[in-house]
Amino acid sequence: MRAPLAALLASVASSVLLASCIGIYPVTVATRMPADLDMTPYSRLLVAGFNGTAIDDVDTNAETVRLLRSQLRAVRSLTIVNAAAIPVTDMLFVDASFWRRIGEEYRQPLVLTGTVSLSTERRTATQYRDRETFDDEGRRRTDATRSAVDVETRVLRARLLYIDGRTGAIIHADTFQEQTSYAPTQNVPALSSYFELIGRVVPAVLGTVSDHSVVGSRALLR
Amino acid sequence: MRLRSLSLSALLIILVSSASYADPRGEAKAQVAFGIEAAQRGLWREATYRFERAIAIDPTYAPAYNNLAVACEQQGLIDKARDAYETALARAPKNELIRQNYELFKEIHARATGGTTR
């Protein structure tokens, strides 16, 4: 246990030494980013409901509403409206009078709705492996072998619409496609894939309605 | 306590590099070294001051502009950061690290101003 630790410390020390010798000093920079939307007219946000298809009985409407509401509660400047998820359809998204009525009912919030679908796709991927062989004289050879393997890919497609609860008009839209692949033998529950993939979308939703920081790395030079 | 150790470090850097004070580049490098130390401790205003001093001493020293750009970026001074990156690249067009910093800056800033789509 001590040897790997010593090796790690030596590696870190040599990296620092190398950096200072060649004059590169990495630093972390946090950039303050404003919300994508002008949120001044809104103090309330209603995550209304989502249309879409899913696999293995994952209810993308209920799950997305619940997850986004809980994550959006971190935005202190907004009150997240508690209401039953609304069953929405594609036609409803452009029905301004419907959203105006919803707006009146919930005191003119910003409304978040849209489509969230989870699907499974079978694909064939190429896998490369090194194969070790020995010739008659015992010399080792390494050959790269290529084989086709089946992978199961879960794909989350989301189109999120932000609707002004006063006018019923769509004021902002974002489209996402996220995917993750497994070996077919892994039997990963669809709900696990859903949370993995929707988790990648959540920061963008937060960034649309609230100021946030983006942390990056930069090099200071000598 | 933090300021005290920083002052000691500054003194040390100045003493060590006193031999190189004869030329503007050596003096600018000493200011940049102190600025880097300040930045690594999170004292970005002090770092900015040191990088600006370095530029005033040796306006041809590209790393000072690069570092000033990073410090401005950290403080949300976007226009000043962009100017500093562009000057750094004008002084050292082949410096890949400056170019990489600038590309990262532009990517983030484009997102901040809605220049890209998700």
Side-chain angles (χ1 to χ4, degrees), chain A residues 30 36 214 218-219 221-222, chain B residues 61 66-67 73-74 101 118:
Chain A
D36 293 350
V214 174
R218 302 284 185 276
L221 308 174
R222 265 175 93 169
Chain B
Y61 187 37
N66 170 79
N67 297 354
E73 208 184 332
Q74 168 68 28
N101 278 343
R118 283 188 181 122

Side-chain angles (χ1 to χ4, degrees), chain B residues 8-45:
Chain B
L8 284 173
S9 306
L11 188 65
L12 194 66
I13 288 165
I14 290 164
L15 285 174
V16 168
S17 58
S18 59
S20 59
Y21 262 58
D23 65 311
R25 177 58 54 93
E27 198 177 339
K29 279 188 169 183
Q31 291 295 333
V32 161
F34 185 42
I36 288 171
E37 190 163 333
Q40 286 174 323
R41 290 163 190 257
L43 304 171
W44 286 100
R45 290 172 76 111

Side-chain angles (χ1 to χ4, degrees), chain A residues 18-29 216-222, chain B residues 31-44 46-48 50-51 61-75 85 95 97-98 100-101:
Chain A
L18 182 69
S20 35
C21 285
I22 57 176
I24 303 165
Y25 301 83
V27 288
T28 302
V29 170
S217 179
R218 302 284 185 276
L220 294 177
L221 308 174
R222 265 175 93 169
Chain B
Q31 291 295 333
V32 161
F34 185 42
I36 288 171
E37 190 163 333
Q40 286 174 323
R41 290 163 190 257
L43 304 171
W44 286 100
E46 175 65 22
T48 303
R50 294 294 162 182
F51 299 142
Y61 187 37
Y65 289 100
N66 170 79
N67 297 354
L68 176 64
V70 173
C72 289
E73 208 184 332
Q74 168 68 28
Q75 293 166 92
Y85 275 130
N95 190 315
L97 287 165
I98 298 176
Q100 187 181 317
N101 278 343

Side-chain angles (χ1 to χ4, degrees), chain A residues 33-39 206-212, chain B residues 112:
Chain A
M33 310 268 280
D36 293 350
L37 278 176
D38 175 10
M39 294 298 290
L206 292 171
T208 301
V209 298
S210 63
D211 294 352
H212 55 289

